[in-house]
């Protein structure tokens, strides 16, 4: 298995271009199932989860006309298989995004219960409740979700909790349901709004996406689409933190600063200079980091997907910070690894108390999930001596060319097979 070796102590300088968002392209690939014809997807990030989702829609009957670099062309004319098998779904939780589209398109779906990151129970009960509200009949058997729907019907539905992919799944099914659907307590993430925008270009009638109430007038069919994936705000935030932790000066290109406001605010509070442009952010260290407290929340709050990386930054702040995780119940697995590098962190319930230390020391560490693996690379950038990160397949799920991008900024980082 590959490992990444980082030699700490190099300031990052220069420019880095952000790739398309993993969390935007996965629902878009699932949404192709709602259409019949050739869909073009541009600026798709070159990450393993995209390969998995393309394999999945192919398994369901789509033809992959082109899949090179960041350009995917999928012909969904002959989608006919309602079965999303365990071997594909188990490696990526977002595979459950095909459930709503399959029910809407074929009237049936058999989707393996998902796996994915080990950051909590992460059930899909809220997806199922929403689809049942639209009239689908769903049962769980032998690790699979079986669903049938003669005709999906519009409904007023309130999600018990804010769920990102749950909102997307039900919104996609409702796009082809009969009549009006109103989804309350919907997720407001930019990727939800982006999905609605692309569906609207295809002929869907969706209003309010990006707020907590989405209103969908069902239509009978959707045209294929041609879309450019919006930039990855989590990747952008990771490079912003990389600049801050190495006391460097990095311009992060191809990002939407408005999608990262809480992170920009917290970086500024920590003493880092952040200048925002229209599609870029420049982050400059000021030689000293102040501690800041934060709590993760659904968008527009501080993203849980940046919690681990920001915690790494706080391990070197001058003082104590408190970090509270409210979205996932088990998202502090990186703490044990950071402590092996000399960080001073204690956990009580869902709050981590971080006492800043003078320095981190390189050590062999193990990535436990996608964002936790990024936080260990960030720690390695500033640690004394080498850090060896194993299980980097987690990084490959969601970060395109991470070693290459960091090397171009001046990091000493390499991958060994
Ligand atoms: C999405 C993102 C992921 C991010 C997360 C939270 C994608 C592909 N993934 O994941 O990167 O970390 O949002 O911002 O977009 N829950 C239930 N029942 C459900 C669904 C969710 O109890 O049916 C709970 C989860 O266990 C979790 C919380 O709701 O505690 C939020 O999860 P959710 O928003 O659904 O996360 P994902 O959509 O899986």
């Amino acid at each position: 298995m590959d490992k990444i070796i980082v030699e700490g102590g190099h300031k990052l300088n220069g420019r880095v271009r952000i790739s398309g968002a993993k969390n935007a392209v996965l629902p878009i690939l699932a949404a192709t199932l709602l259409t019949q014809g050739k869909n073009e997807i541009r600026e798709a990030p070159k990450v393993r989860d995209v390969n998995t989702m393309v394999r999945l829609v192919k398994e369901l009957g789509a033809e992959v006309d082109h899949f090179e670099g960041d350009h995917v062309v999928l012909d969904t004319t002959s989608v006919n298989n309602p079965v999303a098998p365990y071997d594909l779904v188990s490696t990526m939780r977002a595979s459950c995004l095909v459930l709503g589209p399959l029910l809407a398109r074929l009237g049936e779906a058999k989707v393996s219960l998902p796996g994915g990151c080990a950051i909590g129970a992460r059930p899909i009960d809220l997806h199922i409740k929403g689809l049942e509200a639209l009239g689908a009949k769903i049962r769980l058997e032998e690790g699979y979700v079986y669903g049938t729907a003669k005709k999906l019907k519009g409904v007023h539905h309130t999600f018990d909790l804010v769920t990102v992919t749950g909102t997307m799944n039900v919104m996609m099914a409702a796009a082809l349901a009969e009549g009006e659907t109103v989804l309350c307590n919907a997720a407001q993430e930019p990727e939800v709004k982006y999905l609605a925008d692309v569906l609207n270009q295809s002929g869907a009638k969706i209003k309010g996406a990006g707020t907590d109430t989405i209103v969908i007038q069902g239509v009978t069919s959707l045209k294929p689409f041609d879309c450019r994936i919006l930039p990855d705000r989590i990747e952008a935030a990771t490079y912003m933190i990389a600049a801050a932790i190495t006391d460097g000066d990095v311009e992060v290109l191809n990002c939407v600063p408005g999608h990262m406001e809480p992170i920009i605010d917290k970086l500024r509070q920590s003493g880092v200079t952040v200048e925002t442009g229209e599609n870029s952010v420049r982050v400059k260290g000021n030689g000293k980091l102040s501690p800041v407290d934060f709590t993760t929340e659904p968008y527009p709050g501080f993203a849980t997907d940046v919690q681990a990386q920001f915690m790494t930054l706080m391990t070197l702040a001058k003082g104590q910070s408190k970090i509270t995780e409210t979205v996932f119940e088990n998202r502090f697995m990186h703490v044990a690894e950071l402590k092996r590098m000399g960080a001073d962190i204690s956990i009580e319930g869902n709050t981590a108390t971080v006492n800043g230390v003078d320095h981190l020391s390189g050590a062999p560490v193990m990535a436990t999930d996608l964002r936790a693996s990024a936080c260990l690379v960030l720690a390695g950038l500033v640690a004394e001596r080498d850090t060896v990160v194993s299980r980097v397949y987690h990084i490959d799920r969601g970060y395109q060319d991470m070693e290459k991008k960091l090397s171009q900024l001046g990091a000493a980082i390499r991958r060994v097979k």
Side-chain angles (χ1 to χ4, degrees):
M1 263 190 284
D2 293 6
K3 290 181 178 173
I4 286 181
I5 302 176
V6 196
E7 179 194 287
H10 301 270
K11 284 192 184 202
L12 300 192
N13 283 293
R15 296 168 142 197
V16 61
R17 189 175 190 280
I18 297 308
S19 304
K22 169 183 88 71
N23 288 353
V25 71
L26 298 178
I28 289 294
L29 288 166
T32 62
L33 299 169
L34 295 167
T35 70
Q36 295 192 33
K38 244 177 218 194
N39 296 275
E40 303 243 1
I41 300 162
R42 301 166 201 276
E43 301 252 352
K46 287 184 262 170
V47 296
R48 197 156 53 93
D49 277 6
V50 170
N51 297 344
T52 308
M53 196 57 132
V54 169
R55 276 170 60 207
L56 179 56
V57 290
K58 193 172 167 211
E59 171 78 24
L60 302 173
E63 272 171 39
V64 184
D65 284 0
H66 181 91
F67 185 17
E68 224 179 276
D70 61 5
H71 186 200
V72 189
V73 183
L74 283 176
D75 188 335
T76 47
T77 310
S78 38
V79 166
N80 56 0
N81 173 18
V83 185
Y86 175 74
D87 60 330
L88 284 173
V89 176
S90 62
T91 58
M92 185 182 70
R93 179 181 159 79
S95 335
C96 65
L97 281 164
V98 300
L99 187 57
L102 281 176
L103 282 169
R105 167 89 182 254
L106 301 177
E108 64 174 321
K110 180 182 172 189
V111 177
S112 172
L113 283 164
C117 289
I119 55 176
R122 302 184 83 180
I124 59 163
D125 54 319
L126 303 175
H127 300 229
I128 292 172
K129 256 176 127 170
L131 293 168
E132 282 177 337
L134 286 171
K137 300 266 173 281
I138 295 184
R139 64 196 160 91
L140 301 180
E141 225 174 82
E142 295 165 351
Y144 276 82
V145 181
Y146 288 88
T148 51
K150 278 209 182 86
K151 183 73 206 146
L152 295 170
K153 288 222 165 75
V155 70
H156 278 237
H157 178 73
T158 302
F159 288 98
D160 297 337
L161 275 178
V162 177
T163 161
V164 178
T165 48
T167 300
M168 292 166 162
N169 228 337
V170 182
M171 183 171 85
M172 287 190 281
L176 288 182
E178 200 177 281
E180 180 179 272
T181 298
V182 180
L183 300 178
C184 298
N185 200 25
Q188 303 176 48
E189 268 66 3
E191 294 77 18
V192 175
K193 174 162 190 324
Y194 176 74
L195 174 63
D197 290 345
V198 173
L199 291 174
N200 282 341
Q201 278 169 33
S202 300
K205 294 194 171 141
I206 304 174
K207 285 190 178 151
T211 74
D212 64 359
T213 306
I214 304 178
V215 182
I216 304 144
Q217 303 293 341
V219 295
T220 50
S221 66
L222 292 174
K223 298 189 298 280
F225 51 78
D226 183 338
C227 67
R228 190 169 294 279
I229 299 299
L230 93 166
D232 195 315
R233 62 197 164 95
I234 310 300
E235 188 195 18
T238 304
Y239 286 98
M240 285 155 60
I241 295 169
I245 203 167
T246 61
D247 199 22
D249 180 354
V250 173
E251 200 177 353
V252 178
L253 306 175
N254 188 41
C255 62
V256 184
H259 290 168
M260 302 183 287
E261 276 170 10
I263 288 138
I264 291 174
D265 280 356
K266 292 293 169 187
L267 277 174
R268 285 182 175 143
Q269 283 173 35
S270 75
V272 174
T273 301
V274 184
E275 293 162 8
T276 57
E278 202 179 325
N279 296 306
S280 64
V281 178
R282 184 170 176 183
V283 178
K284 283 189 267 186
N286 284 323
K288 176 174 164 277
L289 285 167
S290 305
V292 291
D293 299 340
F294 67 91
T295 298
T296 63
E297 280 166 3
Y299 193 87
F302 191 105
T304 174
D305 284 351
V306 186
Q307 180 254 107
Q309 301 90 312
F310 211 101
M311 182 186 289
T312 304
L313 183 69
M314 290 296 96
T315 63
L316 294 168
K318 298 261 172 290
Q320 186 178 84
S321 51
K322 293 216 181 264
I323 298 172
T324 304
E325 171 62 52
T326 70
V327 179
F328 290 110
E329 73 272 27
N330 188 20
R331 210 171 197 181
F332 283 143
M333 282 178 306
H334 45 285
V335 167
E337 300 300 303
L338 289 173
K339 282 167 86 167
R340 299 186 63 248
M341 298 179 71
D344 178 352
I345 309 171
S346 55
I347 300 175
E348 214 181 304
N350 63 346
T351 298
T353 302
V354 184
N355 291 303
V357 292
D358 286 344
H359 68 275
L360 296 174
S361 309
V365 285
M366 206 178 275
T368 48
D369 70 57
L370 171 56
R371 306 306 168 184
S373 49
C375 99
L376 297 174
V377 171
L378 292 177
L381 292 174
V382 275
E384 288 176 0
R385 297 180 299 278
D386 285 1
T387 298
V388 181
V389 184
S390 53
R391 300 204 178 159
V392 297
Y393 52 84
H394 288 295
I395 294 188
D396 298 335
R397 285 190 47 206
Y399 284 93
Q400 176 177 332
D401 300 329
M402 191 185 226
E403 308 98 87
K404 196 167 145 202
K405 290 184 183 184
L406 285 171
S407 298
Q408 281 167 356
L409 292 171
I413 180 168
R414 66 197 156 93
R415 179 181 289 245
V416 290
K417 296 279 173 194

